[in-house]
Amino acid sequence: MKLGGNFFEDLGPGQRLINPVPRTITEGDVALYIALTGDRNPTRCSDEFARSLGFERAPVADMLVFHIVFGRTVGEISLNSPGNLGYADLRFLRPVFTGDTLRAETETLGWRETSKGDTGVVWVRTIGFNQRDERVLEFYRWVMVNKREPSVPTGADSAPPMPAEASLAQVSFPRITRFAASATGGDRFWEDYDAGERILHPQGMTLEEAEHQMATRLYQNTARVHFNQLQQQSSRHGRRMVYGGHIISVAQALSFDGLENVLGMAAWNGGSHVAPTFAGDTLFAWSEVLGRIDLGREDIGGLRLRLVAVKNADPSREEISLRLAGDDGRERYDPRVVLDLDYVALLPRRAVAG
Amino acid sequence: MKLGGNFFEDLGPGQRLINPVPRTITEGDVALYIALTGDRNPTRCSDEFARSLGFERAPVADMLVFHIVFGRTVGEISLNSPGNLGYADLRFLRPVFTGDTLRAETETLGWRETSKGDTGVVWVRTIGFNQRDERVLEFYRWVMVNKREPSVPTGADSAPPMPAEASLAQVSFPRITRFAASATGGDRFWEDYDAGERILHPQGMTLEEAEHQMATRLYQNTARVHFNQLQQQSSRHGRRMVYGGHIISVAQALSFDGLENVLGMAAWNGGSHVAPTFAGDTLFAWSEVLGRIDLGREDIGGLRLRLVAVKNADPSREEISLRLAGDDGRERYDPRVVLDLDYVALLPRRAVAG
Amino acid sequence: MKLGGNFFEDLGPGQRLINPVPRTITEGDVALYIALTGDRNPTRCSDEFARSLGFERAPVADMLVFHIVFGRTVGEISLNSPGNLGYADLRFLRPVFTGDTLRAETETLGWRETSKGDTGVVWVRTIGFNQRDERVLEFYRWVMVNKREPSVPTGADSAPPMPAEASLAQVSFPRITRFAASATGGDRFWEDYDAGERILHPQGMTLEEAEHQMATRLYQNTARVHFNQLQQQSSRHGRRMVYGGHIISVAQALSFDGLENVLGMAAWNGGSHVAPTFAGDTLFAWSEVLGRIDLGREDIGGLRLRLVAVKNADPSREEISLRLAGDDGRERYDPRVVLDLDYVALLPRRAVAG
């Protein structure tokens, strides 16, 4: 691995990288994840509830698995990134338990220099494995990366096509015989959500520097923009930026109120970090139901959801549109929107309500 | 569970609520508890010492058990609370160990609208259970809750009587044969404390936003006032409020210096959060010995203590009275007092000093 | 233990103290250590990698062992210390694993009142033991301690000689047969480092109050200067000081980039906290190779390194000298230098590269 990390020029397509530093996930990571994000899903915070669903004990939160796998890739891909941009075709393939050791491999797929010329976008595909070399997570992401030589054009211009939707062929969840909703506090099952509904999650969460730094270090994600205030002072925003994945986790945790019976994430069709977030910002979230997906199982179904996070505005108290028409007639995200994630959640069906 | 939580109007007496989201306590929670509060009691931070007392391994700190049980109840009782007021007859009934899963049930006992009419006080009784449905904790509490319709009077006025003292009939602690005070650093046993003594705990602890937020999220206590700065800006104090339970934990941890041989809490007779605490405040504590309680055991005894926490004043350096006489002749708490807790600690007796 | 801790006058030579509060190290401590410091060494964060080196599972990070042992000694030695000064002949004698319980014993070796007369320096030797009474760590340290009676001279003036180098007779590390550098991302082995090289570690880390307070509480180090802002307001710096050990941990974590294949610390020859660090400071680090040490083993060797931490200046971007000549011709540390640590790291030799 290069000291100081790769720059855009180093990340041309066709490289297969074995990302260093395998990581064993422990009960300590799980507790910190709860303390830093506010996660309350009983599937992963109660061994008893997890056993009632057919697990041997509570699996690790899907987003914690994502962060650990993602963290492996930062040293080679995004150490010198001013911001992660988006994701496609992300799939959680297998539950992870404390004691498992995760590692990652990443393939570079394409690159394109930005018009300004000092940065470029790099497309990669990452696979996360456990200690038995079983795949636990796969995803595409694209990320802005600084150039080593901002003034030297690279001519890089090969953006690869990204899958529009994630395959759900390999959804891994135990067969549920009975779902005790008294443990979640939710009374809505898969059949009770209809496309078009917008669920306004009622809570807000203010972020602190120590919190996002601790979360990001826990995942061993070392991207400079999150930690180095001396460097960030002279950046565009003048501040440390919050790791985008932390925003997804906080938004997901906020979404528990209104989506109490969600069992976990199966896949992401796509997602974008629409705007940066900083310490002091207060996050809110809503979920839009995009549709129900029949998984051919009688116990659980898929719910396609758009999870939107906004900052410093409470969608329960003021109407916020996802997009606004600009003066030029083009639609743009409302400037308060920071996350737009299109994902598939797993929910119990009424047949297993008990 | 109602999206957005219950308001005062929803919390009339006679409801029996099974509070959602069971929670398995892990070594991660224990480490975070130490990191966030400064707990140093070897009974719970040393497996070796705990074994010397007859435990199989270190039990979970009593206050961590309290926080986890309390946290279960917030969604239904105090999500929309501007402040928790007090407790009565709280009893720790059984030790909890990592790996145990806790859940809670709460009964609403009474309610009274406040004179201003925009809030009311709700009285509840909560029982915490482990995964074997054994009771581990019971307590009464009363809490201020916002009304959904501040301008519509409810006429609610049925404050229930609260027990003045906690019963000590069911104190659960292994039989000790030898207490090695070299492990605690303390040289005082049960017989060495006399009613009337005031122990000035010498240390102070300044609180940070990230710390109280992490603690409160760890307990999955979601009350809005602790997390949502956007909302709090327009509140009376303009700031996020620190969860009152965090104050008890920090004060208890500060009290280790001077009460080194305390084995843990048996019960609370009563307690009040006298004034709110905010990030930036520095906490100090003293303990007043209210009396010794003979538990009919030769190894341990009960010590009735008043634990007082004050903010931004060091009782070792300036004399602070618990109460001051106002101009109207009525006694009020000194405005720097934030906690007044009347509890029973367990201490080894001289017979087991070794 | 004295309520309020010992002062300089209490710490005359020849005392043997059994430091209170044994502490079991758990997976929670390990996760917090990663979250607070940014440690990424796979030897201690991957059970799989640790097994490939001959451990049964991942050992606890050397610096976490140091902090826990050090923390035991604070109540008696440095509760009333305005700053820890230095270390000599520190040796990690045996790996520590989660579940182990550590305790400490400390002997006072010498003391010297400072010229100003309000403080003095105390020299001590501390030994850390595990639950089998095996030594895991030994070190000398000297620390400034406040006097109880600043105006009463003690005449204390018996500074003991300190060892100039640590003995490496007892290096404890399993016999390695194969070191998979793909797990660390590093391509340099013991033979690849030569005396005189300066490795500029590319990252910087900004410190927050909540972070250093959580770290220091985790280690149950209660020294007042780290926690009590009310007291510190009237101190020389007006602020809480960061525990010096936290600086070593952060600098060591930063040094992973460039020293990826380091297996851990074997010993410190000596170290000094050259200047205080405060929340808001951004830390950077470099390592100077002082020499290779042949341990008589074919699998691993010792690398003598000088780890230097500086604040608010990036040595990758500006030339920083360790020492500057003053107007009086005397050399002093550059005022941005906060740590100067002379230690021995263990590295795999090329023979085991695989």
Side-chain angles (χ1 to χ4, degrees):
Chain A
M1 226 168 81
K2 269 205 195 69
L3 194 59
N6 288 321
F7 285 83
F8 179 70
E9 292 91 332
D10 306 312
L11 291 165
Q15 301 177 52
R16 291 174 166 280
L17 306 164
I18 296 178
N19 306 128
V21 188
R23 172 76 145 77
T24 303
I25 300 188
T26 72
E27 289 187 353
D29 300 316
V30 169
L32 268 162
Y33 186 76
I34 293 172
L36 290 163
T37 68
D39 188 38
R40 282 176 288 145
N41 192 315
T43 305
R44 49 229 192 193
C45 76
S46 167
D47 283 335
E48 299 296 316
F49 186 70
R51 277 193 270 270
S52 80
L53 300 177
F55 291 104
E56 203 179 307
R57 58 201 165 95
V60 171
D62 35 44
M63 283 304 301
L64 177 51
V65 172
F66 170 80
H67 295 315
I68 295 290
V69 172
F70 184 102
R72 306 308 93 195
T73 73
V74 168
E76 284 161 308
I77 304 300
S78 46
L79 200 69
N80 297 305
S81 164
N84 204 44
L85 298 174
Y87 314 91
D89 191 18
L90 180 149
R91 282 169 285 144
F92 292 99
L93 300 170
R94 204 171 253 102
V96 171
F97 297 92
T98 54
D100 285 352
T101 300
L102 301 187
R103 62 182 187 83
E105 296 183 8
T106 298
E107 187 182 0
T108 57
L109 302 175
W111 56 347
R112 175 183 282 162
E113 194 167 307
T114 49
S115 55
K116 226 180 133 193
D118 55 345
T119 60
V121 178
V122 174
W123 282 260
V124 300
R125 181 154 186 257
T126 290
I127 305 174
F129 298 89
N130 66 18
Q131 70 278 12
R132 291 178 298 277
D133 285 330
E134 296 166 332
R135 295 180 176 213
V136 299
L137 176 66
E138 289 184 11
F139 61 92
Y140 294 84
R141 76 160 163 140
W142 48 104
V143 53
M144 188 87 76
V145 182
N146 291 328
K147 282 171 65 184
R148 181 176 285 110
E149 304 288 350
S151 58
V152 182
T154 61
D157 187 17
S158 63
M162 286 288 113
E165 281 192 24
S167 158
L168 293 174
Q170 206 186 332
V171 167
S172 160
F173 207 89
R175 190 72 40 182
I176 301 178
T177 53
R178 182 177 162 277
F179 184 90
S182 62
T184 68
D187 52 11
R188 300 179 73 186
F189 287 80
W190 179 71
E191 293 87 346
D192 302 321
Y193 291 93
D194 286 309
E197 183 187 2
R198 184 188 277 204
I199 303 158
L200 302 175
H201 307 301
Q203 302 272 68
M205 183 67 70
T206 304
L207 307 180
E208 298 294 324
E209 298 281 13
E211 293 170 1
H212 78 83
Q213 290 199 152
M214 285 184 68
T216 312
R217 276 191 301 251
L218 183 70
Y219 315 140
Q220 298 173 315
N221 171 339
T222 53
R224 295 165 190 268
V225 291
H226 309 313
F227 300 110
N228 183 339
Q229 180 57 34
L230 190 73
Q231 169 193 276
Q232 289 303 104
Q233 261 158 20
S234 54
S235 75
R236 185 178 148 212
H237 301 291
R239 286 178 286 173
R240 283 164 279 176
M241 291 170 63
V242 176
Y243 161 49
H246 187 55
I247 304 304
I248 304 177
S249 280
V250 171
Q252 189 199 33
L254 292 173
S255 81
F256 182 71
D257 292 314
L259 290 167
E260 294 87 352
N261 286 342
V262 163
L263 297 160
M265 286 173 160
W268 303 356
N269 293 308
S272 299
H273 295 297
V274 175
T277 311
F278 305 98
D281 287 341
T282 302
L283 284 187
F284 297 86
W286 75 74
S287 295
E288 185 187 340
V289 180
L290 300 177
R292 283 203 301 272
I293 302 165
D294 193 323
L295 299 173
R297 290 174 59 159
E298 288 180 18
D299 57 341
I300 63 171
L303 199 63
R304 186 169 179 173
L305 293 162
R306 166 174 259 165
L307 175 62
V308 177
V310 298
K311 63 179 181 182
N312 306 325
D314 183 347
S316 303
R317 302 191 176 206
E318 53 180 311
E319 179 92 24
I320 304 174
S321 298
L322 184 64
R323 289 169 180 280
L324 302 169
D327 293 338
D328 56 2
R330 281 178 54 192
E331 281 211 330
R332 291 188 180 80
Y333 281 104
D334 182 295
R336 296 166 296 187
V337 173
V338 294
L339 173 73
D340 182 7
L341 184 71
D342 173 350
Y343 77 102
V344 179
L346 298 177
L347 271 100
R349 297 181 64 151
R350 277 198 208 126
V352 297
Chain B
M1 226 168 82
K2 269 204 196 69
L3 194 58
N6 288 320
F7 285 83
F8 179 70
E9 292 90 333
D10 305 314
L11 292 166
Q15 301 177 54
R16 290 175 166 280
L17 306 165
I18 297 179
N19 305 129
V21 189
R23 172 77 145 76
T24 303
I25 300 188
T26 72
E27 289 187 353
D29 300 317
V30 169
L32 267 162
Y33 185 77
I34 293 172
L36 290 163
T37 67
D39 188 37
R40 281 176 289 147
N41 192 316
T43 305
R44 49 231 193 193
C45 76
S46 167
D47 284 334
E48 297 297 315
F49 186 70
R51 276 193 271 270
S52 80
L53 300 178
F55 291 104
E56 204 179 306
R57 57 201 165 96
V60 171
D62 35 44
M63 283 303 302
L64 178 51
V65 172
F66 170 79
H67 295 315
I68 295 289
V69 172
F70 185 102
R72 307 306 94 196
T73 73
V74 168
E76 283 161 309
I77 304 300
S78 46
L79 200 67
N80 297 305
S81 164
N84 205 43
L85 299 174
Y87 313 91
D89 191 17
L90 180 149
R91 282 169 285 144
F92 292 99
L93 301 170
R94 204 171 254 101
V96 172
F97 296 92
T98 55
D100 285 353
T101 300
L102 302 187
R103 61 181 189 82
E105 297 183 8
T106 298
E107 186 181 0
T108 57
L109 302 175
W111 57 347
R112 175 183 284 162
E113 195 167 308
T114 48
S115 55
K116 224 179 133 193
D118 56 343
T119 59
V121 178
V122 174
W123 282 261
V124 300
R125 180 153 187 257
T126 290
I127 306 174
F129 298 89
N130 67 18
Q131 70 277 13
R132 290 180 298 276
D133 285 330
E134 296 165 332
R135 296 181 176 211
V136 299
L137 176 65
E138 290 184 11
F139 61 92
Y140 293 84
R141 75 160 163 140
W142 49 104
V143 53
M144 187 88 75
V145 182
N146 292 328
K147 282 170 66 182
R148 181 177 283 111
E149 305 289 350
S151 57
V152 181
T154 61
D157 187 17
S158 64
M162 285 288 113
E165 280 193 24
S167 158
L168 292 175
Q170 207 186 331
V171 167
S172 160
F173 206 89
R175 188 73 38 183
I176 302 178
T177 52
R178 184 178 162 276
F179 184 90
S182 62
T184 67
D187 52 10
R188 299 178 72 186
F189 287 81
W190 179 71
E191 293 87 348
D192 302 321
Y193 291 93
D194 286 308
E197 182 187 2
R198 184 187 277 203
I199 303 158
L200 302 175
H201 308 301
Q203 301 273 67
M205 182 68 69
T206 304
L207 308 180
E208 298 293 324
E209 298 281 14
E211 292 170 1
H212 78 82
Q213 290 199 152
M214 287 185 66
T216 312
R217 276 191 301 252
L218 183 70
Y219 315 140
Q220 297 173 315
N221 170 339
T222 54
R224 296 166 190 265
V225 291
H226 308 314
F227 300 110
N228 184 337
Q229 181 56 34
L230 190 73
Q231 168 194 276
Q232 289 303 105
Q233 262 158 19
S234 54
S235 75
R236 186 178 146 212
H237 300 292
R239 286 179 286 174
R240 284 165 278 175
M241 290 169 64
V242 175
Y243 161 49
H246 187 56
I247 304 305
I248 304 178
S249 280
V250 171
Q252 189 199 33
L254 292 173
S255 80
F256 182 72
D257 293 314
L259 290 167
E260 294 87 352
N261 286 342
V262 163
L263 297 161
M265 286 173 159
W268 303 356
N269 294 307
S272 300
H273 296 296
V274 175
T277 311
F278 306 99
D281 286 341
T282 302
L283 284 187
F284 297 85
W286 76 73
S287 296
E288 184 188 341
V289 180
L290 300 177
R292 281 203 303 270
I293 302 165
D294 193 322
L295 299 173
R297 291 174 60 160
E298 287 181 19
D299 57 341
I300 62 171
L303 199 62
R304 186 169 179 174
L305 294 162
R306 165 174 260 165
L307 176 61
V308 176
V310 298
K311 62 179 181 182
N312 305 326
D314 183 348
S316 303
R317 300 187 177 209
E318 52 181 312
E319 179 92 22
I320 303 174
S321 298
L322 184 63
R323 291 168 179 278
L324 303 169
D327 293 339
D328 56 3
R330 281 178 55 193
E331 280 212 330
R332 292 189 180 79
Y333 280 104
D334 183 296
R336 297 167 294 188
V337 172
V338 295
L339 172 72
D340 181 8
L341 183 72
D342 173 349
Y343 77 102
V344 179
L346 298 176
L347 270 100
R349 298 180 63 152
R350 277 197 209 128
V352 297
Chain C
M1 225 168 82
K2 269 204 196 69
L3 192 59
N6 288 319
F7 285 83
F8 179 70
E9 291 91 332
D10 306 312
L11 292 165
Q15 301 176 53
R16 291 176 166 279
L17 305 165
I18 296 180
N19 306 127
V21 189
R23 171 77 145 77
T24 303
I25 299 188
T26 73
E27 289 187 353
D29 300 317
V30 169
L32 268 162
Y33 186 77
I34 293 172
L36 290 164
T37 67
D39 188 37
R40 283 176 287 146
N41 192 316
T43 304
R44 49 231 192 191
C45 76
S46 168
D47 283 334
E48 298 297 315
F49 186 70
R51 276 193 270 270
S52 81
L53 299 178
F55 291 105
E56 204 180 308
R57 58 202 165 95
V60 171
D62 36 43
M63 283 304 301
L64 177 51
V65 172
F66 169 80
H67 295 315
I68 295 289
V69 172
F70 185 101
R72 305 308 93 194
T73 72
V74 169
E76 284 162 308
I77 304 300
S78 46
L79 199 68
N80 297 304
S81 163
N84 204 43
L85 299 174
Y87 313 91
D89 190 18
L90 180 149
R91 282 168 285 145
F92 292 99
L93 300 170
R94 203 171 254 101
V96 171
F97 297 92
T98 55
D100 284 353
T101 300
L102 301 188
R103 62 181 187 83
E105 297 182 7
T106 298
E107 186 181 1
T108 57
L109 303 175
W111 58 347
R112 175 184 284 163
E113 194 168 308
T114 48
S115 55
K116 222 178 136 195
D118 55 344
T119 60
V121 179
V122 174
W123 282 259
V124 300
R125 180 153 186 256
T126 290
I127 306 174
F129 298 89
N130 66 18
Q131 70 277 12
R132 290 179 297 276
D133 286 330
E134 296 165 332
R135 296 181 176 211
V136 299
L137 176 66
E138 290 184 10
F139 60 93
Y140 294 84
R141 74 159 163 141
W142 48 103
V143 54
M144 187 88 76
V145 182
N146 291 328
K147 282 170 67 183
R148 181 177 282 112
E149 304 289 351
S151 58
V152 181
T154 61
D157 187 17
S158 62
M162 285 288 113
E165 281 192 25
S167 158
L168 293 174
Q170 206 185 333
V171 167
S172 160
F173 206 90
R175 189 73 39 182
I176 302 178
T177 52
R178 183 177 161 276
F179 184 89
S182 62
T184 67
D187 52 10
R188 300 178 71 186
F189 287 80
W190 178 72
E191 294 87 347
D192 302 320
Y193 290 94
D194 285 309
E197 183 186 1
R198 184 188 277 205
I199 304 159
L200 301 176
H201 308 301
Q203 302 273 67
M205 182 68 69
T206 305
L207 308 181
E208 299 293 324
E209 298 280 14
E211 293 170 1
H212 79 82
Q213 290 199 153
M214 286 185 67
T216 312
R217 276 191 300 252
L218 183 70
Y219 316 139
Q220 299 173 313
N221 170 339
T222 54
R224 295 165 190 267
V225 290
H226 309 313
F227 300 111
N228 183 339
Q229 181 56 34
L230 189 73
Q231 169 193 277
Q232 289 303 104
Q233 260 158 21
S234 55
S235 75
R236 184 177 148 212
H237 301 292
R239 288 179 285 174
R240 283 165 279 175
M241 290 170 64
V242 176
Y243 161 49
H246 187 57
I247 304 305
I248 303 177
S249 279
V250 170
Q252 188 198 34
L254 292 173
S255 80
F256 182 71
D257 292 313
L259 289 167
E260 295 86 353
N261 286 342
V262 163
L263 298 160
M265 287 173 160
W268 303 357
N269 294 308
S272 300
H273 295 298
V274 175
T277 310
F278 306 98
D281 287 342
T282 302
L283 283 187
F284 298 84
W286 76 73
S287 295
E288 185 187 340
V289 180
L290 300 177
R292 283 202 303 270
I293 301 165
D294 193 324
L295 299 172
R297 291 175 59 161
E298 288 180 18
D299 57 341
I300 61 172
L303 199 61
R304 186 170 179 174
L305 294 162
R306 165 174 258 165
L307 175 62
V308 176
V310 298
K311 63 179 181 182
N312 306 324
D314 183 347
S316 302
R317 301 190 176 207
E318 53 180 311
E319 179 90 25
I320 304 174
S321 298
L322 184 64
R323 291 169 179 278
L324 302 169
D327 293 337
D328 56 2
R330 281 177 55 192
E331 281 212 328
R332 291 188 181 80
Y333 280 104
D334 182 297
R336 296 166 296 187
V337 172
V338 295
L339 173 72
D340 182 7
L341 184 71
D342 173 349
Y343 76 103
V344 179
L346 298 177
L347 270 100
R349 298 181 63 151
R350 277 198 207 126
V352 296

